[in-house]
Amino acid sequence: MTEARNDGAESDRRRSRRVDRADHVRADPEALSALMGDRALLLRMDCCDPWVSEDGRLDWGTLDDAPAGAELVFLGLDGDRGCFAAVPRMLEGGDARGKAWLQAGQLSQQDFATFSAARSLASWHASHRFCARCGSMTVQGKGGWQRDCTDDACATSHFPRTDPVVIMTIEHVTPDGERLVLLGRGLGWPEGRYSALAGFVEPGETIEQAVQRETLEEAGLKVHSVRYRSSQAWPFPSQLMIGCHAMTDHSTLAVDRTELDDAFWATRAELFAALEDLPGKTFLPPPRHAIANSLLRDWLDRPAG
Amino acid sequence: MTEARNDGAESDRRRSRRVDRADHVRADPEALSALMGDRALLLRMDCCDPWVSEDGRLDWGTLDDAPAGAELVFLGLDGDRGCFAAVPRMLEGGDARGKAWLQAGQLSQQDFATFSAARSLASWHASHRFCARCGSMTVQGKGGWQRDCTDDACATSHFPRTDPVVIMTIEHVTPDGERLVLLGRGLGWPEGRYSALAGFVEPGETIEQAVQRETLEEAGLKVHSVRYRSSQAWPFPSQLMIGCHAMTDHSTLAVDRTELDDAFWATRAELFAALEDLPGKTFLPPPRHAIANSLLRDWLDRPAG
C-alpha cells in the first residue's frame, strides 16, 4: 500500500457519515452479501462501544478489522457502501458505560445516532444469544435486525429492544410567583450532580401516566398538565428518552430514598448558574449531550406553565 | 355460602377498580405475601386475555381461581386488597389477539389500563421463561415485574418489555388549499379498513426521526414539522403507541407493498363520513378505542399545520 493510499484511507476512516438505515436491504440476502465486499465499512468498537477519537469522530475500518467469525450488523448505507458493526462475543462487565458515555458527548448529532444504533444493537445481540421462550440458541436474521430461534418447533423471532423512559421537568410556582424546578440525584451518582427525574414507562400506561406515577413514587408529588417536549435515543444500553414537562401545585417533597439519593427545588438563578458553570454554582448539571440538559435549558427559556 | 353472600361476591367481581401500581410493594416479599390471602383479587383471564363481560367489565375472582402452580403477577392495590393476574403455562397460538382486541374496546379507560398491564405482563412472562443471555431457566421476581436467571454465574435480571411505536397523521395541503390526510392499510387487514401509518421506533433514533423514516419507507414521502399529540398503551402484545402529526409538501405516493396493501389521501369529508359511519362512506376507519381513531378525530378538529 502506498503512502498516498494510506492518507486517503486515513481521511476515509474519520469522516462523519450520514448512514441511511435502508431497511429494504435487511430482508434481501443478495443485496446484503453484495454490500459486504472490499468497500464495506466497519464501525470500529471496543466490545459494544464505538471508538471516538479525541476530536470527536467515529472510526471506520473495513470488514477485515472484525474479529474472525463475529456476527455483523448492517447499520445502513453511506451512499452505495454498506456500513456494519461487529457483535462482541460477550458483554464485558455487564454493560459498563463509563468511558463511552462521556465520549459520546463529543460526537455530532449525526454520529451520535450511528453510535447509538450500533451500541444498542451490538449489546442486544451479545445478550440475546438464546431464545427467551424455549432456551434454544438463536441466530441472527435480517442483517442483524432480528434473531431467530433455531428450534423448529419454537422458531420464535426476536427483535431489538428499545425501552421508553420518561424524563421530566417538574415545575412549581410559589405563592409569590417564583418559578422552581425539581431536581434529583440518583444513587451512586458523582458528587454534586443533579438532573431531571426519570423512569421507565411500564406496560399498560401512557407517557403522561408514567410521568405522573414516577413523580409521585420518587418525590411524593401529584402533577398535572403533562406536556411532551422532545426525545432522544440513549444507548446505555437502549433507551428512548421521552422528555416532558409537568406542573405541580405542591412543594413538599417525600423522597423515596430507595430510588433517589436526594431531591430539591432549584430556582431559575441556581439552574442558570449550574448550566453556565458560573462562580457560586451550587450543583453540577447533567452533561450537555443528555436530554436532561436540553430540557432544563428549554425550561429556562419558556414562560411558566 | 348464603345467597346474600353470593350476591355480594357477584357485584364485587364486576366492579371497575382503580388499581394503584404500588411499586414499593413489589420489592417487599412480606408485604406481597400478606396481600395474597382470602381478600386478594385475581383478574380472570383466558390465556393472556382478561375476560370482558358483555356490558364491558373485567371479571375479578379470588386466588383460588388461578391454575395450580401458576405464577402470579402483582398488578397493584385496590385500596388494601392485592390485585393479581395468573401467567399461563404457555402462549396459545403465538399471540392471537382476535377476540380480546375487540372486547378491549368496550372497557372504560381505567379498566383498559388494567387489561393492558395484565395482558402485556402475562404474555411477557409466558414467553420469557428462559434467559436470553445464557439459555438457563428464569424465575419470577419482584411480584412479577422482573425475571431472574437461575444460573449463578449469569444471574441476569430481565424486565418486562414495552415497544415504542410511532403512529402519525400525515397532512398535505393541495395548491388550492384543500387539506388531505394520508391513510394506509396493512397486509391482511379486514376489507375496507384504513388507518394512520405506524411503525416501531428503532434503536438509535428519536420519535421525530422514526416518524420521518417510517413515512419515507412506507409511502415514499419526506415529512417535516413532526409534532407529538398523545400516547396509548396497546397490549397486543406490549406497545407504547406514540401519536404524532407531520406535514409533507409532496403528494405523490410510492407505497412499499411489502409493508402496506394500499395507501391514499383522504379529504376531510371522506374521513368525517368514515368516522361518523355516514351513508356514502368509502372506507372503514380504525376502531374507536385505537389511538389512530382519536388522532384522526383530532386532525379533523384542528386548524392546518
Side-chain angles (χ1 to χ4, degrees):
Chain A
M1 197 183 277
T2 67
E3 269 194 35
R5 276 197 65 193
N6 264 330
D7 286 355
E10 183 59 29
S11 73
D12 206 39
R13 278 178 54 182
R14 300 285 171 85
R15 192 175 333 143
S16 184
R17 301 175 187 281
R18 207 197 146 279
V19 181
D20 172 354
R21 288 170 180 248
D23 84 315
H24 57 281
V25 172
R26 299 174 189 169
D28 183 342
E30 280 181 35
L32 258 179
S33 159
L35 287 167
M36 294 173 102
D38 290 348
R39 302 188 66 242
L41 296 157
L42 182 86
L43 183 63
R44 302 185 80 181
M45 304 202 294
D46 179 10
C47 189
C48 294
D49 296 322
W51 291 8
V52 178
S53 66
E54 280 182 19
D55 60 343
R57 290 170 187 276
L58 297 173
D59 193 359
W60 295 90
T62 71
L63 297 194
D64 291 339
D65 298 319
E71 289 181 331
L72 295 176
V73 172
F74 174 65
L75 299 175
L77 290 174
D78 175 22
D80 62 350
R81 300 175 75 178
C83 299
F84 296 86
V87 178
R89 201 158 285 280
M90 57 193 313
L91 291 182
E92 285 160 21
D95 193 45
R97 64 178 207 183
K99 207 178 58 166
W101 190 81
L102 289 173
Q103 287 177 327
Q106 299 169 270
L107 296 170
S108 69
Q109 221 172 347
Q110 183 170 292
D111 280 348
F112 185 72
T114 303
F115 176 101
S116 297
R119 191 179 198 283
S120 292
L121 283 167
S123 96
W124 179 75
H125 281 287
S127 58
H128 288 74
R129 300 220 184 266
F130 296 87
C131 176
R133 194 153 185 168
C134 80
S136 303
M137 294 284 296
T138 56
V139 290
Q140 209 196 52
K142 294 210 170 159
W145 292 83
Q146 186 170 316
R147 295 192 74 84
D148 299 308
C149 178
T150 53
D151 179 88
D152 289 344
C154 176
T156 301
S157 290
H158 301 274
F159 302 94
R161 179 170 172 142
T162 301
D163 294 311
V165 169
V166 288
I167 181 164
M168 47 273 180
T169 50
I170 305 296
E171 175 171 345
H172 176 70
V173 182
T174 66
D176 54 356
E178 179 156 30
R179 294 175 62 201
L180 304 173
V181 66
L182 182 61
L183 296 175
R185 50 180 275 111
L187 305 174
W189 283 15
E191 196 179 334
R193 170 91 76 201
Y194 282 80
S195 185
L197 265 52
F200 288 96
V201 179
E202 294 191 343
E205 66 186 1
T206 63
I207 290 170
E208 293 75 11
Q209 287 166 343
V211 168
Q212 292 175 320
R213 179 185 51 74
E214 282 288 342
T215 314
L216 188 59
E217 282 175 12
E218 297 195 349
L221 289 174
K222 285 195 179 185
V223 302
H224 59 83
S225 310
V226 181
R227 298 278 178 274
Y228 170 81
R229 290 285 196 245
S230 60
S231 64
Q232 182 187 42
W234 193 244
F236 304 101
S238 193
Q239 284 92 274
L240 171 66
M241 306 299 294
I242 304 174
C244 295
H245 175 71
M247 300 295 294
T248 182
D249 300 332
H250 314 282
S251 63
T252 306
L253 302 177
V255 175
D256 177 356
R257 302 283 168 182
T258 66
E259 298 256 356
L260 291 181
D261 180 54
D262 186 31
F264 77 102
W265 291 106
T267 64
R268 289 170 58 80
E270 283 169 332
L271 179 59
F272 185 78
L275 287 170
E276 299 301 326
D277 196 20
L278 300 181
K281 68 172 188 233
T282 55
F283 65 93
L284 292 176
R288 284 195 80 96
H289 64 299
I291 189 174
N293 190 292
S294 60
L295 283 175
L296 289 169
R297 289 181 188 274
D298 184 52
W299 180 75
L300 277 183
D301 289 344
R302 284 178 185 255
Chain B
M1 197 184 279
T2 65
E3 270 194 32
R5 276 198 64 193
N6 265 330
D7 286 356
E10 182 61 28
S11 73
D12 206 37
R13 278 178 53 182
R14 299 286 171 83
R15 192 173 335 142
S16 183
R17 300 176 187 282
R18 208 198 145 278
V19 180
D20 171 355
R21 289 169 180 248
D23 84 315
H24 57 281
V25 172
R26 299 175 190 169
D28 184 342
E30 279 181 34
L32 259 179
S33 157
L35 287 166
M36 293 174 102
D38 290 349
R39 301 188 67 242
L41 294 157
L42 182 86
L43 183 63
R44 302 184 78 180
M45 304 203 293
D46 178 11
C47 189
C48 293
D49 296 323
W51 293 7
V52 179
S53 66
E54 281 182 19
D55 60 343
R57 288 170 188 278
L58 296 172
D59 193 359
W60 295 89
T62 70
L63 297 193
D64 291 339
D65 298 320
E71 288 181 332
L72 295 177
V73 172
F74 174 64
L75 298 175
L77 291 173
D78 175 22
D80 62 351
R81 300 175 74 178
C83 299
F84 295 86
V87 177
R89 202 157 284 280
M90 57 193 313
L91 290 182
E92 285 161 21
D95 193 46
R97 63 179 210 181
K99 207 177 60 165
W101 191 81
L102 290 172
Q103 286 177 328
Q106 298 169 268
L107 296 170
S108 68
Q109 221 172 346
Q110 182 170 291
D111 280 349
F112 185 73
T114 303
F115 176 100
S116 297
R119 191 179 197 283
S120 292
L121 283 168
S123 95
W124 178 75
H125 281 287
S127 58
H128 287 74
R129 300 221 183 265
F130 296 87
C131 176
R133 195 153 185 169
C134 79
S136 302
M137 293 284 296
T138 57
V139 291
Q140 209 195 53
K142 293 209 171 163
W145 292 84
Q146 185 170 319
R147 293 192 76 82
D148 299 307
C149 178
T150 53
D151 179 88
D152 289 344
C154 177
T156 301
S157 290
H158 301 274
F159 302 94
R161 180 172 171 139
T162 301
D163 294 311
V165 169
V166 288
I167 181 164
M168 48 272 181
T169 50
I170 305 296
E171 174 171 346
H172 177 70
V173 182
T174 66
D176 55 357
E178 179 156 30
R179 294 176 62 201
L180 304 173
V181 67
L182 182 62
L183 296 175
R185 48 181 276 110
L187 305 173
W189 282 15
E191 196 178 336
R193 170 91 76 200
Y194 282 81
S195 185
L197 265 53
F200 288 96
V201 179
E202 294 190 344
E205 66 186 2
T206 64
I207 290 171
E208 293 75 11
Q209 287 166 344
V211 168
Q212 292 175 321
R213 177 185 52 73
E214 281 288 344
T215 314
L216 188 61
E217 283 176 12
E218 296 196 349
L221 289 174
K222 285 196 179 185
V223 301
H224 59 84
S225 309
V226 181
R227 298 279 178 274
Y228 170 82
R229 291 285 196 245
S230 61
S231 64
Q232 183 187 42
W234 194 242
F236 303 102
S238 193
Q239 284 91 275
L240 171 67
M241 306 299 294
I242 304 173
C244 296
H245 175 70
M247 299 295 294
T248 181
D249 300 332
H250 315 282
S251 62
T252 305
L253 302 177
V255 175
D256 177 357
R257 301 284 168 182
T258 66
E259 296 257 356
L260 290 181
D261 180 55
D262 187 30
F264 78 101
W265 290 107
T267 64
R268 288 170 58 81
E270 283 169 331
L271 178 60
F272 186 78
L275 287 170
E276 298 302 326
D277 197 20
L278 300 182
K281 69 173 187 233
T282 55
F283 66 93
L284 292 176
R288 284 193 81 96
H289 62 300
I291 191 175
N293 189 293
S294 60
L295 283 176
L296 289 169
R297 288 180 189 275
D298 184 52
W299 180 75
L300 276 184
D301 290 344
R302 281 178 187 256

